């Protein structure tokens, strides 16, 4: 245990030093890796227990547009706008989650109902083009560097904000997915009836994890708007984003704490690498390879990259350990 | 009654016919193989590109290009089954859905890579028919009739032929059919081919009404899943009925509101209906 805490300390220290070592472009990538990592982590909280949601695009979209619209229309600071977006998103998750779990809509059906939710939010944003700018997207009113407006043109500041949020997200995942809660959710994922029979409150456990996951996703969506200072329905809501969230989490490995972030790192470096290699003449090249890789991942590595790494480490011949391990203090 | 509303409703019926054909294909795949091809609309997009290139670029006659597209998409369906679905048939159903989601990404971006994001039109224009004061587009009427003929052909194939009976039987009891001497793998492959061919036929009909572009699938793919779930996944008759209901919702919604709002209404209605009858509105 103490060893893993030490490892985390080293990791966080290394990440905190990054902005002083990386050139601007890589810092830009690092911020996106952290923010997407946060969102993928939120998805994996549900996904690893068989709650495959294709509706996270909806949660991200509501979060992103609520804070941006409140700021642009009424001048309400994102410090209030983001919580407002989170509240709305959690309500949305409740409105969808409660009937779904009550009626035992699971598997394919849950995926398709949440997919419809993604479409509803994406199309509603486009339809309300008078306020949201439709598919052209919108820009939050820029005021330069301001804590009040949560706008930081300097990347270093934003990097630390993203790093902090990402760590909070991992901590929440650890808290919500560990111990008895994890065991309960795992039992639910295996067999709901059996889980209910041994006294697990199926509805409460599923709703809790769904609401937490939706809330984190909304924060991630809002932070993307604050960072990029631009938002459009394609990039934060709809089927495309929802599928991207699912795939990146699976590719990284949804069962480990760092898996979804590895997925974020993997997909972003792939996209950026291919973009640089092929240039903009070959739009679609990156996603073509991406699509093939995803199929291969699902067929050959359903536990993702992290799962593969763990398997390789486990296979490595163990060094002889002292037979009588000292008792833990 | 308002003449434009009537026209919208007729268009809704005509649209429902094509949606019914595609829903039938998707439901067949789900009923028999127990897999949701989430990239079904992308297969239609591939067929539409095939027709566009063969007919508008290489100058093939339209019917010949259609036959090629139907064959091509059927082959694509079989290839997808062999390469993507078969290796993971034993794993959780949601993995199969996600694998076909990977196909969705792949087909969409590969089309972007090959053809760019331009909107392309085959340029076949059919005149409109005037009935009283109502204009009916011939291409939509043709699509409706062809879709119904196609759906009936599949229905008779499934109910009147030996192999069709085997397909229906396997969708009812997977384990027993193997013992009865039915080769599961062959049936699955054949079903994939039929599902692909139906998508190919759909592409022949849609190419007359819409421009083709790589992201076309995203515009009507989600509607298709809603239809199948509404009718009850795997329930072929339910899917056909649900297609006409959805066609009406979209057409009438589009008449009173905007097109996007009509879609929003369709999806919200879908979510509400699923909560009222989780097993599909037309299931017994």
């Amino acid at each position: 245990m103490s060893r893993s805490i030490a490892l985390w300390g080293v990791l966080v220290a290394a990440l905190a030093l990054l902005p002083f070592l990386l050139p601007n472009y890589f810092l830009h990538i690092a911020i996106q890796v952290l923010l997407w990592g946060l969102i993928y982590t939120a998805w994996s909280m549900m996904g690893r227990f068989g709650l495959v949601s294709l509706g996270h695009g909806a949660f991200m979209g509501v979060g992103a547009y609520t804070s941006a619209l409140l700021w642009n229309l009424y001048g309400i600071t994102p410090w209030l706008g983001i919580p407002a977006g989170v509240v709305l998103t959690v309500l949305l998750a409740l409105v969808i989650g409660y009937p779904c779990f009550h009626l035992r809509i699971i598997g394919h059906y849950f995926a398709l109902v949440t997919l419809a939710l993604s479409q509803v939010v994406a199309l509603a944003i486009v339809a309300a083009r008078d306020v949201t700018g439709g598919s052209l997207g919108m820009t939050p009113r820029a005021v330069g560097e301001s804590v009040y407006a949560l706008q930081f043109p300097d990347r270093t500041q934003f990097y630390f904000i993203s790093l902090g949020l990402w760590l909070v997200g991992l901590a929440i995942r650890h808290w919500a997915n560990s111990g008895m809660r994890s065991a309960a959710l795992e039992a639910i994922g295996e067999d709901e009836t059996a889980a209910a029979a041994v006294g697990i409150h199926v509805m409460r456990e599923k709703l809790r994890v769904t609401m937490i996951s939706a809330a984190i996703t909304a924060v991630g969506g809002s932070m993307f708007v604050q960072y990029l200072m631009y938002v459009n329905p394609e990039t934060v809501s709809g089927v495309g984003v929802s599928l991207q969230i699912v795939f990146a989490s699976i590719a990284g490995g949804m069962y480990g704490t760092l898996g979804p972030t590895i997925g974020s790192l993997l997909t972003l470096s792939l996209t950026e690498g291919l973009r640089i290699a092929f240039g903009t003449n070959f739009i679609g090249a990156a996603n073509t390879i991406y699509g093939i890789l995803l199929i291969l991942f699902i067929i050959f590595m359903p536990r993702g990259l992290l799962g593969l790494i763990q398997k390789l480490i486990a296979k490595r011949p163990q060094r002889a350990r002292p037979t009588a391990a000292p008792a833990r203090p | 009654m308002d003449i434009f509303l009537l026209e919208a409703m007729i268009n809704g019926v005509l649209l429902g016919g094509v949606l019914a054909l595609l829903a039938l294909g998707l439901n067949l795949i789900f009923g028999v193989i127990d897999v949701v091809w989430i990239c079904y609309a992308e297969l239609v997009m591939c067929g539409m590109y095939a027709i566009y290139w063969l007919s508008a670029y290489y100058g093939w006659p339209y019917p010949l290009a259609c036959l090629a597209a139907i064959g091509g998409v059927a082959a694509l369906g079989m290839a997808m089954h062999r390469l993507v679905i078969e290796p993971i048939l034993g794993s959780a159903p949601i993995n199969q859905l996600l694998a076909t989601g990977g196909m969705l990404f792949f087909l969409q971006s590969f089309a972007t890579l090959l053809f760019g994001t331009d909107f392309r039109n085959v340029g076949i224009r059919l005149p409109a028919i005037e009935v009283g004061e109502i204009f009916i587009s011939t291409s939509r009427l043709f699509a409706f009739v062809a879709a119904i003929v196609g759906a009936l052909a599949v229905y008779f194939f499934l109910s009147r032929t030996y192999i069709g009976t085997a397909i229906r039987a396997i969708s009812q009891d997977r384990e027993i059919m193997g013992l009865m001497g039915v080769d599961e793998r062959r049936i699955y492959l054949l079903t994939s081919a039929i599902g692909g061919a139906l998508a190919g036929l759909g592409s022949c009909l849609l190419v007359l009404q819409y421009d083709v572009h790589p992201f076309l699938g995203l515009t009507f793919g989600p509607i298709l899943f809603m239809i199948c779930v509404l009718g009850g996944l795997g329930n072929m008759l339910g899917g056909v009925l649900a297609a006409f209901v959805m066609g009406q919702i979209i057409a009438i919604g589009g008449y009173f509101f905007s097109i996007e709002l009509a879609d929003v209404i369709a999806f919200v209605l879908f979510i509400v209906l699923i909560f009222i009858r989780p097993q599909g509105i037309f299931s017994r």
Side-chain angles (χ1 to χ4, degrees), chain A residues 127-197:
Chain A
R129 57 173 64 80
D130 295 340
V131 255
T132 60
S135 356
L136 293 177
M138 62 181 278
T139 317
R141 193 163 40 80
V143 292
E145 187 179 326
S146 153
V147 176
Y148 178 73
L150 209 62
Q151 291 176 7
F152 303 100
D154 178 20
R155 293 222 159 86
T156 315
Q157 286 160 330
F158 219 96
Y159 176 84
F160 281 110
I161 296 176
S162 316
L163 182 63
L165 284 173
W166 176 72
L167 284 170
V168 171
L170 291 188
I172 294 178
R173 179 193 148 114
H174 183 74
W175 168 77
N177 278 0
S178 62
M180 280 313 285
R181 280 196 202 88
S182 167
L185 281 166
E186 222 162 278
I188 292 169
E190 290 287 323
D191 186 339
E192 285 200 359
T193 315

Side-chain angles (χ1 to χ4, degrees), chain A residues 293-306:
Chain A
L293 278 180
L294 291 167
I295 297 172
L296 293 178
F297 264 107
I298 291 167
I299 295 177
F300 298 108
M301 267 195 265
R303 297 187 77 87
L305 203 58
L306 185 70

